[in-house]
Amino acid sequence: MVMFWVLLLAVSILLYVLLDGADLGVGMLFGLTQGEAKRRVMLKAVSPIWDGNETWLVVTGVILWGAFPLVYATLLSAFYLPLFFILAGLILRGVAFEFRDKTQRMRWIWDLSFAGGSLVATFMQGVTVGALVEGLQVTNGQYSGGDFGWFTPFAALCGIGLCLGYALLGACWLVKKCDAEVRDRAHRQIRVLAVCVLVFLVVVFVYALAEHLPILHRWIDRPYLFAFPAVGGFAAIALALSILRQNDRWPFYMVAVIFVSAFGTLALSFWPYMIPFVITIDQAAAPQSSLAFMFWGGVVVFPLMLVYTLISYSVFRGKVGAATGH
């Protein structure tokens, strides 16, 4: 029963990263784009799906709250401020998305809010992941790192890296969904962002070696983990080829594979811990009776959400037009 909820949690996090990561990336690139016509096309590329993408973040929180309450309590204690900024950024970009068409004179404020909210939410998500990788200070089962114990140079570096990664994912989504100027500009951005992400990965690896981060010991103990970076490497080669051939379809899927390989590497590096290297899965799990009670809801609701997501992406497949409104 515990493994069932671990699997659902992993799928929910991965879907959120891939789906909402793409439209957060579009939001950040939106702030670098000049011209109302191009901005409208970018908004149309994400308008049918951005709200549903954030549902997977809610699902992640619900699973943690119900199935792994100890992890939920510890993470909230450690990341109150990052979570506040993540939610504030997501709310701000959602409000801006709806309000920017209601005004002409003050539209620049909502455009800035849309791009800024995307940037803040993404950066804070990366900081949170970086803090978890580096390790939280826990004493007697409770977080004891202070209000800003999560903010370190490594965490900030991970925040920047996730911004680059989401922007790359967003540029690939624009190539997949748009035509003309927006598509051509996104193709150019993919080349720059892909190089930046590669540089980031090298810097992170060197930093981890220099600081002797505990997660590196997992790689020594579990050499099979190198299979995931190998898959990511092949996907990166395929991404480079698709860029050179000006392919519109494959860049998004190849970057998605790179994200999946990175997620798999982290997940198995943490195993069997949910908060490395402090709280294991068995320690974090709710009583068996609670997990069994929730099981039937998960069996019914989760597949329905997957079906809804597949249908929504299928209905809105294809390139977006340049007509006004979104």
Side-chain angles (χ1 to χ4, degrees), residues 128-324:
T128 301
V129 174
L132 282 174
V133 170
E134 196 167 19
L136 297 177
Q137 184 177 335
V138 177
T139 304
N140 296 325
Q142 295 184 337
Y143 174 70
S144 56
D147 293 339
F148 295 94
W150 46 270
F151 192 77
T152 64
F154 181 77
L157 182 63
C158 289
I160 295 171
L162 192 63
C163 289
L164 294 172
Y166 277 5
L168 176 60
L169 198 59
C172 293
W173 181 254
L174 291 176
V175 164
K176 186 175 185 293
K177 297 292 293 182
C178 302
D179 276 321
E181 290 182 85
V182 175
R183 169 192 172 275
D184 295 340
R185 188 169 187 268
H187 260 300
R188 295 191 296 270
Q189 290 171 330
I190 289 175
R191 300 181 183 190
V192 176
L193 290 169
V195 173
C196 291
V197 170
L198 178 61
V199 171
F200 161 75
L201 293 175
V202 172
V203 171
V204 164
F205 185 71
V206 171
Y207 185 99
L209 285 175
E211 295 295 321
H212 304 288
L213 294 186
I215 198 170
L216 289 179
H217 297 295
R218 315 292 281 189
W219 287 58
I220 298 173
D221 298 337
R222 303 171 179 180
Y224 60 82
L225 289 175
F226 287 96
F228 289 95
V231 171
F234 285 117
I237 294 172
L239 172 64
L241 293 175
S242 65
I243 294 172
L244 291 174
R245 295 172 182 174
Q246 294 287 298
N247 186 282
D248 289 358
R249 185 178 181 85
W250 285 106
F252 178 78
Y253 296 115
M254 292 303 100
V255 174
V257 171
I258 293 172
F259 267 87
V260 171
S261 66
F263 179 81
T265 302
L266 274 181
L268 290 180
S269 296
F270 288 173
W271 187 270
Y273 293 91
M274 293 198 73
I275 297 182
F277 295 93
V278 178
I279 300 175
T280 66
I281 292 172
D282 291 333
Q283 291 171 338
Q288 196 68 20
S289 56
S290 298
L291 297 178
F293 177 78
M294 294 168 54
F295 172 79
W296 299 108
V299 167
V300 174
V301 175
F302 203 85
L304 287 177
M305 293 183 62
L306 289 174
V307 170
Y308 169 81
T309 300
L310 289 173
I311 291 175
S312 63
Y313 275 81
S314 176
V315 168
F316 295 104
R317 67 185 181 276
K319 300 279 189 178
V320 299
T324 58

Side-chain angles (χ1 to χ4, degrees), residues 23-34:
D23 64 65
L24 283 169
V26 171
M28 288 184 283
L29 296 175
F30 179 90
L32 302 176
T33 303
Q34 299 296 323

